[in-house]
Amino acid sequence: MDADVRALRTLAQTYFDAAYEMDAEKFASIFHPSSSVTKVADDGDVGVTPVAMWLAVVRDTKAPKQKGEERDDEILSIDVERDLALLKVKLQVPPRHFTDLLSCLKVNGTWKIVQKVMTSKA
């Protein structure tokens, strides 16, 4: 289990780096291609975006790193059960602060994010 926790911490660090750099390819390396991003949409209902569409938005977003913004990211928890893990993380992409739940599966020996559920505040 310790190896899995270490691997998931590495995945989370890649996630934080990708967010700070707005690096779609770095995100793609840790998301399973069939994953999706879920949040409460503007209309108040559940909004589900396939990861490929979400990555297109990432590509068009100016990186906090480019704007000289400070980083503020943290792993809040890691819960592992065999080939399933849930990471709770917080990070900022100014002006928003995010809390994300990253559901992960160990696919062919490698941890991948299969579902991102997120909330944010300004």
Side-chain angles (χ1 to χ4, degrees), residues 15 87-89 91 98-102 116-119:
Y15 183 81
L87 280 69
K88 183 177 181 180
V89 300
L91 65 152
F98 293 87
T99 301
D100 297 344
L101 298 178
L102 305 174
K116 168 182 168 163
V117 180
M118 59 181 274
T119 189

Side-chain angles (χ1 to χ4, degrees), residues 69-87:
E69 302 282 356
E70 291 292 319
R71 284 182 75 154
D72 182 18
D73 42 52
E74 179 184 358
I75 299 170
L76 300 174
S77 66
I78 298 176
D79 189 10
V80 182
E81 185 68 37
R82 293 184 303 279
D83 58 357
L84 169 71
L86 181 64
L87 280 69

